[in-house]
Amino acid sequence: MPESEIGVVGLGTMGAMLTLNIADNGFRVSAYNRTHARITELMDAAGELARRIAPCKSVEALVQSLKRPRNVILMVPAGNVVDAQIDALQHLLDDDDMIIDMGNANFHDTRRRAQAAHEGGRPYLGVGISGGAEGARFGPSIMGGGPRNCWDRVAHILDAIAASHEGRPCAEWMGEDGAGHFVKTVHNGIEYADMQLIAEAYGVMRDGICMSAADCAEVFASWNEGILKSYLVEISGKVAAARDDSTGEPALDVILDRAGQKGTGRWTVIESQMLGAPVPVIEAAVGARNMSAMRDLRLLGASLYQPSAGRLDDGLAIQDLEQALIAGKILCYAQGFDLLYKASTEFGWSLPMPGIAEIWREGCIIRSAMLNDMAAALRESPGTNLALADHFRALMDKNIEGLRKTALAAQAARLPVPALAAALAYFDTLTCARTTANMLQAQRDYFGAHGFERIDAEGEHHGPWHGHDLDGKPAKT
């Protein structure tokens, strides 16, 4: 049989769909999974594409089936499983054979593996992909990390299988070592926040305005015709319109309010704290998922405090909600790109900011009509917070009061809107010329002699409380 141009190890949902995508684009691909039933399932689903897929009964067989220099994609669960698979492959591969980790890896692990590969003289790529199973099958957004020559070696395959926007592949090299997986992590953090903002808007419609799921569906569908046009708004309308097969009731009304997560949003928040690049909307979204999991505690709290019905009293309009989502979305993305800027500097990646926005326009979960303007703003004003860039400043001027009105009205009605509230607090802090951090510095200097800067003099200074006891009285000598 002819040799394959690339191999895939790991045929879970994403791995199987990616294998079919590769074959569908004319490449011969070898496929292996530890559980052989997965291989059978893949070949049964492949249909005519099976002629371009070589099913392998072992890793050794997969390696032997590949053209040299070999390229092997790993689609296995993040963590120790990746390390174990790399160890198994290294004994079978030649020095110029390349491993490509396309799973949901933590970028710190990718940096470590990339360093080990470099020291061993072996090529290695860490590649983030987004788009879920449908994207993996028909075209994901692809974010590459590793040596540029390694990316170029397989770019023709990755470009072919990626989604495209106006004829341009949504695949790009991000930088060295863990750059690709870091960009994917931030993508997922933005995804968490975007989803939470939409869910909160739905909650205000459902509980504050007493709208049915069908009515909510119509609102989402109308929003998807304007500035908010995006994959997530589109599917929110579709799920709100759907009916449960068993009961005939709206599907949303029978779904338990307990959300799962795989951890990538949490990684975004952790890295934002480590880098000093705040992402409060993403942090609120992660926190909201954690709170949703505490259902028994929430039921107890509701029984003890007996919250009101939550209906709004001030006649919040649907237009206010739309404005709130527009403003919240801009601020969420602004935080994500600020985090990318900080990481790019910290790790020496030179991340292609406009290119990141561009490859997110198709194939990925956060694809949105706004990304065109974001790419333009990032190109025209590099390093500028998106909310302060000319185009988005004009949008914020038009929509910020809708966010303020929605957040305050919801809070007054005891409707939880943590992401919307965090977006508003972020905006108010971002546009505050003098915050209350002077009090923080005074407190730090009082109890720890940390010093502070003055508004009228250079250097480090201490307050008049030094030389006094903690109760403010002069210290005894």
Side-chain angles (χ1 to χ4, degrees):
M1 295 181 69
E3 293 177 317
S4 297
E5 295 176 73
I6 199 162
V8 176
V9 174
L11 301 177
T13 301
M14 291 292 287
M17 294 299 103
L18 195 70
T19 301
L20 293 173
N21 187 354
I22 294 170
D24 206 10
N25 279 279
F27 301 100
R28 183 163 178 80
V29 54
S30 296
Y32 167 74
N33 194 81
R34 182 176 58 84
T35 305
H36 289 186
R38 291 281 191 180
I39 303 174
T40 303
E41 291 170 6
L42 171 68
M43 299 308 291
D44 289 343
E48 292 185 0
L49 294 178
R51 59 191 172 86
R52 287 198 286 268
I53 301 174
C56 300
K57 294 183 178 180
S58 66
V59 176
E60 291 83 356
L62 179 134
V63 169
Q64 292 169 8
S65 71
L66 300 177
K67 290 180 181 178
R68 291 176 171 80
R70 303 177 179 95
N71 301 301
V72 181
I73 293 173
L74 299 185
M75 291 296 293
V76 298
N80 294 335
V81 178
V82 178
D83 291 312
Q85 194 62 70
I86 290 173
D87 289 342
L89 280 166
Q90 282 178 342
H91 300 294
L92 305 170
L93 298 175
D94 297 332
D95 288 346
D96 57 351
D97 294 340
M98 181 163 64
I99 293 175
I100 308 166
D101 180 9
M102 294 183 73
N104 252 351
N106 185 301
F107 89 103
H108 288 297
D109 288 337
T110 304
R111 298 192 81 203
R112 169 177 57 79
R113 292 165 187 148
Q115 180 61 32
H118 174 73
E119 292 172 355
R122 293 175 176 271
Y124 185 86
L125 284 177
V127 178
I129 64 171
S130 177
E134 181 179 355
R137 176 62 183 90
F138 298 108
S141 176
I142 300 178
M143 297 145 268
R148 181 59 194 252
N149 65 312
C150 293
W151 169 263
D152 291 341
R153 175 168 146 178
V154 291
H156 65 292
I157 298 176
L158 300 180
D159 284 350
I161 68 172
S164 64
H165 182 84
E166 297 179 351
R168 176 182 169 184
C170 293
E172 188 160 338
W173 178 71
M174 299 288 118
E176 298 291 331
D177 52 69
H181 277 139
F182 186 86
V183 173
K184 173 55 167 40
T185 294
V186 176
H187 165 285
N188 283 22
I190 293 173
E191 177 185 309
Y192 274 52
D194 208 349
M195 293 172 69
Q196 180 64 28
L197 289 167
I198 293 169
E200 290 175 14
Y202 157 72
V204 171
M205 287 190 284
R206 183 192 68 187
D207 300 325
I209 309 178
C210 296
M211 292 172 59
S212 68
D215 291 336
C216 294
E218 291 182 8
V219 172
F220 284 126
S222 68
W223 287 349
N224 199 48
E225 298 297 320
I227 294 174
L228 287 171
K229 182 177 177 60
S230 64
Y231 174 71
L232 285 171
V233 170
E234 177 188 353
I235 67 168
S236 297
K238 290 180 178 179
V239 299
R243 296 230 162 227
D244 176 53
D245 291 337
S246 299
T247 64
E249 297 296 317
L252 278 177
D253 293 351
V254 301
I255 297 175
L256 192 69
D257 59 327
R258 186 157 52 204
Q261 57 183 310
K262 293 186 176 179
T264 46
R266 188 183 304 121
W267 292 349
T268 308
V269 172
I270 291 170
E271 296 310 321
S272 78
Q273 296 294 335
M274 297 301 294
L275 292 168
V279 291
V281 182
I282 299 173
E283 189 169 350
V286 174
R289 290 205 191 188
N290 291 336
M291 287 291 290
S292 79
M294 301 176 183
R295 187 167 183 268
D296 290 343
L297 183 64
R298 289 186 289 108
L299 292 175
L300 175 61
S303 69
L304 293 175
Y305 286 96
Q306 299 178 345
S308 63
R311 186 172 177 83
L312 301 175
D313 295 324
D314 62 352
L316 189 74
I318 294 299
Q319 183 180 2
D320 296 321
L321 265 180
E322 182 180 21
Q323 291 179 348
L325 266 189
I326 292 169
K329 187 181 186 78
I330 293 168
L331 295 168
C332 160
Y333 277 76
Q335 292 166 24
F337 277 103
D338 275 0
L339 175 56
L340 288 171
Y341 272 116
K342 195 67 178 286
S344 186
T345 301
E346 178 72 17
F347 301 114
W349 286 333
S350 299
L351 294 175
M353 300 298 174
I356 293 171
E358 287 167 347
I359 67 167
W360 286 350
R361 292 180 298 186
E362 293 291 347
C364 69
I365 302 301
I366 64 171
R367 57 188 184 266
S368 162
M370 265 193 210
L371 284 162
N372 272 326
D373 293 322
M374 289 181 181
L378 292 164
R379 186 168 283 112
E380 293 166 5
S381 305
T384 300
N385 183 290
L386 276 176
L388 306 181
D390 290 343
H391 175 80
F392 291 101
R393 189 172 73 244
L395 276 179
M396 290 301 298
D397 282 340
K398 291 174 60 176
N399 294 287
I400 187 60
E401 287 312 310
L403 173 60
R404 190 177 305 282
K405 186 176 180 181
T406 299
L408 295 179
Q411 289 177 322
R414 295 180 66 180
L415 296 175
V417 286
L420 288 169
L424 181 60
Y426 176 80
F427 176 81
D428 286 344
T429 305
L430 184 68
T431 56
C432 181
R434 183 166 171 79
T435 69
T436 56
N438 54 322
M439 172 59 83
L440 300 179
Q441 281 303 99
Q443 292 169 339
R444 294 180 72 242
D445 185 58
Y446 194 105
F447 65 67
H450 294 293
F452 52 77
E453 298 172 282
R454 292 181 62 95
I455 61 175
D456 56 1
E458 298 291 329
E460 182 180 279
H461 302 269
H462 294 282
W465 40 80
H466 280 285
H468 293 68
D469 289 332
L470 290 182
D471 62 3
K473 298 178 181 177
K476 297 179 180 179
T477 60

